[in-house]
Amino acid sequence: RKEVEQDPGPFNVPEGATVAFNCTYSNSASQSFFWYRQDCRKEPKLLMSVYSSGNEDGRFTAQLNRASQYISLLIRDSKLSDSATYLCVVNRNDYKLSFGAGTTVTVRA
Amino acid sequence: SQTIHQWPATLVQPVGSPLSLECTVEGTSNPNLYWYRQAAGRGLQLLFYSVGIGQISSEVPQNLSASRPQDRQFILSSKKLLLSDSGFYLCAWTRVTNGYTFGSGTRLTVV
């Protein structure tokens, strides 16, 4: 079983729509969770950390469900600039993070 | 502020040739350093990580090696490249487990 699994998508949504997707992780001892954004042929960049109580950053909302071991990301009022691949990231131990293969989101005009 | 530099951005190398990719971090000391590889359409695979000078841990057996000759320098090497070594190589750093910051990456094509 992969450490972090994501629906690869793609999710094709019109501008202004809401899009949400999950990832699941296998290590119940994981303590740190993140969403990264990766544009085509670019390095991943931290989008937001995910906290136990859930957190928002503008149009982005992240949720963590420890019991079911999944993390979600919701994007409201999608913009064309939100088109990217979103990577779910979970810590393995103090030194290492595991990355999902990514969920591709395409926002169309 | 902290910055991470990685070069070159693009590299085309013949099979059997050597490889040396360099990564340096500025504005911090004693960072944890990482080398990842991303094959086309795939996730990031951790290759090596280092928690200090001369301390290298390898994640997967492979045709590559890593070294950390200075606190803020991390080098990825190979003596003889294989076609399967092609990919997008990313260096990253962190001080604590609070997310990584990645360099801009090296796109390696082995021909």
Side-chain angles (χ1 to χ4, degrees), chain A residues 5-91:
Chain A
E5 297 203 53
Q6 293 184 248
D7 181 345
F11 288 77
N12 293 301
V13 300
E15 271 188 296
T18 295
V19 59
F21 41 89
N22 296 337
C23 89
T24 58
Y25 61 95
S26 61
N27 185 354
S28 60
S30 297
Q31 295 295 323
S32 301
F33 310 90
F34 311 92
W35 283 104
Y36 274 71
R37 171 195 170 122
Q38 186 174 24
D39 293 305
C40 187
R41 301 179 70 82
K42 297 288 188 180
E43 74 274 21
K45 294 185 178 178
L46 180 63
L47 177 67
M48 59 195 300
S49 301
V50 185
Y51 302 118
S52 296
S53 56
N55 48 297
E56 280 189 18
D57 184 0
R59 297 180 293 105
F60 297 83
T61 301
Q63 295 283 350
L64 168 64
N65 185 316
R66 286 188 183 273
S68 301
Q69 294 182 209
Y70 76 81
I71 306 154
S72 65
L73 181 67
L74 182 146
I75 307 173
R76 290 188 306 277
D77 188 23
S78 298
K79 311 292 185 189
L80 293 175
S81 57
D82 294 334
S83 297
T85 297
Y86 292 86
L87 306 178
C88 176
V89 184
V90 176
N91 84 306

Side-chain angles (χ1 to χ4, degrees), chain B residues 36-70:
Chain B
Y36 278 85
R37 176 172 61 202
Q38 188 175 37
R42 305 283 297 276
L44 275 76
Q45 179 187 34
L46 178 62
L47 302 176
F48 301 94
Y49 69 95
S50 172
V51 299
I53 296 174
Q55 300 180 59
I56 307 295
S57 295
S58 174
E59 279 292 292
V60 294
Q62 58 208 319
N63 185 39
L64 302 168
S65 61
S67 62
R68 186 169 177 175
Q70 301 179 43

